Amino acid sequence: MRTVRPTRRRTPADRPRRPVPSRLPPRDVLRLGAVGLRARRARVVLSALGIAIGIATMVAVVGLSHSSKADLMARLDRLGTNLLTAETGKDWDGNVVKLPKSAVAMVERIGPVQHASATGYVDVRIRRSDAVPEERTAAVSAQAARTDLLSALGAEVARGVWLDRAGERLPVTVLGAIAAERLGVAAPGEKIMMGDRYVVVVGILRPVELVPQLDRVALVGFPAAERYFGFDGHPSMIFERSPDHTVEEVRAVLARSISPGSEGYIKVSRPSDALAAKAATDKGLTTLMLGLGAVALLVGGVGVANTMVISVLERRQEIGLRRALGATRSAIRTQFLMESLLLSALGGASGALLGTAATYGFALAQDWRPVVPPWSLAAGFSATLLIGVLAGLYPAVRASRLHPTVALNAA
């Protein structure tokens, strides 16, 4: 008699397991993507060039903007932002309102004022010599100056000496940098014509950055201007320095202190504001150039996408073979996304190097301190990776959807 054994119920552990596709480790994915790029080097270089141009433009624009700003801030620190100027204006009838001869003394009575000086317009023609017609003045004017003018402006003499207590009474002059160039005066000791009188050049100034109009004038002492050239002794511009925290307070009372009752005709300004306005202008230009760099980067991304689409079309048999051997759609997508990322990263790294080199080269040529903010490099490289993902997404998805049979039969 046969013994019937009881049947055992199947459990989930007894069911056959479906094979789990293997996954490529990140190192192999990176190597596979690099192999795809090395097979088409010329195309890769041309595609990466668009990305490189965009990133180089953006890095260079940011770097040069920061280098220029750093140089500007250094100049402001050196020159100071506490200089105020007050100059004469015209009344309602068009007549010039003269400043009082005691204007400097009145400014010095303002509590916070540390330095005060003045210049005055001298109505006399300046020529290189008496052989030059009077109407040819070389666009150089004459002004009377006090001996303490340089200390108030923080200006310096490039060659020769400044006017002292003796020199301000003699027929001698100190030329601004541009005035010396226009008159053809290379060194102190030469003579020029002021009106119908020869005067000796005793000094040549360095460029006065805060008051550039002084670069185009010939300066003589107040007593000499009154004695030899008919100067009336009234200053035309006052220069004043006070501590930084008191500048606005002094500015509010400066015109009224100089000429009570006529303060509405006196123009008070702060020369350092012109440098600050230049910084604002540079910021607008930087924004424009960053926009152009972004457009170049976008064009580079389109080039990367085009390259990847063509790569998918050319490599259909390779894709079909890998799919037939067990590669999943995810593996195919990852492969082509990695190629796109590597292509963009190559362009981004090259662009960052080119932009940094351009920044250093131009900044050093302008005697600036080169500044390339680290965030600009990080932002540029991050942008290239984002471009790489977006540009490679469609080609990668398209490659992963190719049927193995169709891909292997492709010509």
Side-chain angles (χ1 to χ4, degrees), residues 128-355:
R128 184 63 179 89
S129 69
D130 56 2
V132 179
E134 288 190 10
E135 59 271 12
R136 296 184 60 184
T137 61
V140 176
S141 60
Q143 289 192 18
R146 287 168 54 102
T147 56
D148 54 2
L149 179 65
L150 291 194
S151 60
L153 296 180
E156 297 178 347
V157 177
R159 295 184 294 276
V161 296
W162 176 242
L163 300 173
D164 55 17
R165 289 298 181 185
E168 70 172 346
R169 301 178 180 278
L170 300 175
V172 297
T173 182
V174 176
L175 298 179
I178 297 177
E181 181 180 346
R182 289 179 176 176
L183 291 170
V185 177
E190 300 186 36
K191 295 181 179 180
I192 62 172
M193 288 286 295
M194 296 185 70
D196 57 356
R197 179 184 294 274
Y198 272 105
V199 296
V200 178
V201 177
V202 296
I204 299 174
L205 295 179
R206 296 185 187 276
V208 184
E209 294 184 81
L210 283 180
V211 192
Q213 58 265 36
L214 292 182
D215 294 339
R216 299 171 174 82
V217 303
L219 299 167
V220 297
F222 264 71
E226 293 180 30
R227 179 178 180 181
Y228 299 109
F229 307 112
F231 177 54
D232 60 8
H234 290 272
S236 58
M237 181 172 286
I238 306 295
F239 303 94
E240 174 276 330
R241 282 191 187 271
S242 55
D244 291 336
H245 66 280
T246 65
V247 169
E248 292 303 324
E249 298 176 8
V250 174
R251 187 173 190 170
V253 301
L254 186 59
R256 188 165 60 251
S257 299
I258 293 174
S259 184
S262 302
E263 60 269 19
Y265 304 116
I266 298 176
K267 178 183 177 182
V268 177
S269 60
R270 191 176 185 178
S272 58
D273 289 344
L275 295 178
K278 181 181 178 182
T281 303
D282 290 344
K283 183 178 180 180
L285 182 61
T286 298
T287 302
L288 174 62
M289 295 303 295
L290 282 177
L292 295 177
V295 171
L297 186 60
L298 179 62
V299 172
V302 173
V304 170
N306 183 57
T307 297
M308 296 308 300
V309 169
I310 295 175
S311 179
V312 169
L313 294 175
E314 291 179 345
R315 297 162 64 185
R316 283 180 295 178
Q317 290 185 336
E318 174 193 335
I319 296 170
L321 180 60
R322 290 199 62 212
R323 292 281 283 121
L325 293 177
T328 62
R329 289 185 174 182
S330 176
I332 298 298
R333 282 197 301 269
T334 303
Q335 173 189 348
F336 281 91
L337 273 176
M338 180 56 67
E339 287 190 22
S340 178
L341 279 172
L342 288 176
L343 180 55
S344 298
L346 176 64
S350 302
L353 290 176
L354 288 174

Side-chain angles (χ1 to χ4, degrees), residues 372-395:
V372 179
W375 64 261
S376 66
L377 299 176
F381 197 73
S382 299
T384 60
L385 296 182
L386 179 61
I387 289 292
V389 171
L390 296 178
L393 189 59
Y394 170 72

